[in-house]
Amino acid sequence: MTTKDFTVKWLAYALALLPVWLMECFLLSRYPIFGVKPMLLPLAVVAVATLEGGAAGAGFGLGVGFLFDAMTPGVPGLPILLLALLGLGVGLLAQYALRQDFVGCLLCSVLALAALDALRIAFRLFTGAAPLGAMLTLAGKEIGWSLCFVPFVYPLFLWVYHRVPKATVL
């Protein structure tokens, strides 16, 4: 793959991320359903990692992590690390254990959202911010609401995947 092909490929993925980010940041955050807002940026990382594999998923997760870190308060740098690790793990799981299709993306999305919420719950339990039952209820609603967007996020990145240059295998 030439440098130009590589640049075009990741620019196309970045442009596909733009409507997902705008929807999460400016539309869905203003109108929470059941008191929760969906997490679409991790779904974008899962979709790209499912299609491209572990290394590309980690790189895309790193970039999305910077965007996520810039738009959310919290521990600086933690979303960058978490989304990069998420992209790596999901990419390897999809590449070697699951199929790299919509069903694989859906299963990886469930696992990824559950893992992210488990880390958030563990942190809040450690700090004593809220009771476990309330956090589990909220996490369940958030995961369910976020999963409703997988049928929209995955096809967007699948469309890009089919139109960008692929690495050749020698």
Side-chain angles (χ1 to χ4, degrees), residues 52-151:
E52 292 283 347
F60 190 73
L62 187 71
V64 174
F66 277 107
L67 179 64
F68 193 81
D69 193 29
M71 68 181 234
T72 57
V75 180
L78 189 60
I80 299 168
L81 175 65
L82 290 178
L83 288 177
L85 291 174
L86 179 77
L88 176 65
V90 165
L92 293 175
L93 184 65
Q95 193 172 4
Y96 295 112
L98 300 172
R99 295 181 0 197
Q100 292 177 289
D101 60 0
F102 178 75
V103 175
C105 181
L106 187 62
L107 290 172
C108 288
S109 295
V110 171
L111 292 172
L113 293 171
L116 288 174
D117 275 337
L119 288 173
R120 289 166 49 187
I121 287 172
F123 178 74
R124 288 189 174 97
L125 277 177
F126 181 72
T127 60
L132 179 62
M135 288 189 290
L136 288 175
T137 302
L138 186 64
K141 290 178 183 179
E142 183 179 60
I143 291 169
W145 182 220
S146 297
L147 289 175
C148 292
F149 290 93
V150 172

